[in-house]
Amino acid sequence: MTVIESLIVETPDTAAAEAFYTALVGPDGPVAVRSSDAPSSGFRGFTLSLIASQPDNVDALYDAAIASGGTPLKPAKKSLWGYGGLVTAPDGTILNIATSTKKNTGPAAREFDKIVLLIGAEDVGASKQFYVDHGLTVGKSFGRKYVEFTSEKEHIQLGLYTRRALAKTAGVSPDGSGSHRIAIGSDAGPFTDPDGFAWESA
């Protein structure tokens, strides 16, 4: 089964990005940074999510993201689906920090359970089939609107959403052009998906 082992964020300011991601996922975490001046504007077509076990952990991660150079996009609050907030990283990546529960069950900790890469696809159905053909296994699928692929806890999970819906959830315009400024490291690369996301050999 194909798994995502790492994500490489590309940015002109590697120092700021490294400080940000180190504070959230640790120095040996699955998110790395490399230098790039590739033109990019507007919505880059994806979000990263840190999924925590309870609201207090979301708050701890959200506060750490802001203290480490992130910009508030949506404050953490309760919603129909749980509790969470959005932050823009120094490199421009939109980070969703969330939990599906609305109640705390233990002491607060600055920790998360998994990382999810959610890609805004132009054609969810076509991208779904592409990834199935490249060894990913579908866990949940809601027609041509949303797909979630299976993943072990230690690996990054991949999901597909329509580009417009993902941008709306993030509170930004769906318009954007140029580089996605992210590379996906896996045991199945290298290849480029239908939406232009580059996969590399991990």
Side-chain angles (χ1 to χ4, degrees), residues 63-190:
D63 291 345
I66 301 305
S68 302
T71 302
L73 187 57
K74 286 185 179 180
K77 63 179 181 180
K78 288 183 179 180
S79 69
L80 181 64
W81 307 108
Y83 182 86
L86 291 155
V87 175
T88 303
D91 62 275
T93 294
I94 295 174
L95 190 70
N96 178 36
I97 305 172
T99 178
S100 59
T101 183
K102 299 178 183 178
K103 294 184 178 181
N104 295 303
T105 57
R110 198 176 74 184
E111 59 186 30
F112 59 90
D113 296 333
K114 65 178 178 179
I115 299 177
V116 178
L117 169 63
L118 193 54
I119 288 177
E122 292 296 339
D123 185 333
V124 171
S127 293
K128 170 187 172 182
Q129 187 59 53
F130 177 88
Y131 282 122
V132 168
D133 292 343
H134 281 77
L136 279 79
T137 302
V138 175
K140 297 178 182 178
S141 181
F142 300 93
R144 290 182 171 270
K145 294 183 178 180
Y146 178 80
V147 178
E148 186 178 288
F149 297 94
T150 59
S151 173
E152 299 297 328
K153 184 177 179 179
E154 65 269 22
H155 295 126
I156 296 167
Q157 187 171 23
L158 176 67
L160 302 173
Y161 206 12
T162 65
R163 181 184 176 96
R164 186 167 294 277
L166 182 57
K168 183 178 180 180
T169 299
V172 298
S173 167
D175 298 331
S177 63
S179 173
H180 294 297
R181 285 196 175 172
I182 192 171
I184 303 162
S186 80
D187 55 355

Side-chain angles (χ1 to χ4, degrees), residues 32-91:
V33 176
R34 71 182 173 205
S35 179
S36 174
D37 290 314
S40 182
S41 64
F43 183 48
R44 289 177 13 214
F46 73 93
T47 62
L48 290 184
S49 295
L50 300 183
I51 307 300
S53 62
Q54 61 178 8
D56 276 356
N57 291 9
V58 170
D59 287 336
L61 288 163
Y62 189 92
D63 291 345
I66 301 305
S68 302
T71 302
L73 187 57
K74 286 185 179 180
K77 63 179 181 180
K78 288 183 179 180
S79 69
L80 181 64
W81 307 108
Y83 182 86
L86 291 155
V87 175
T88 303
D91 62 275

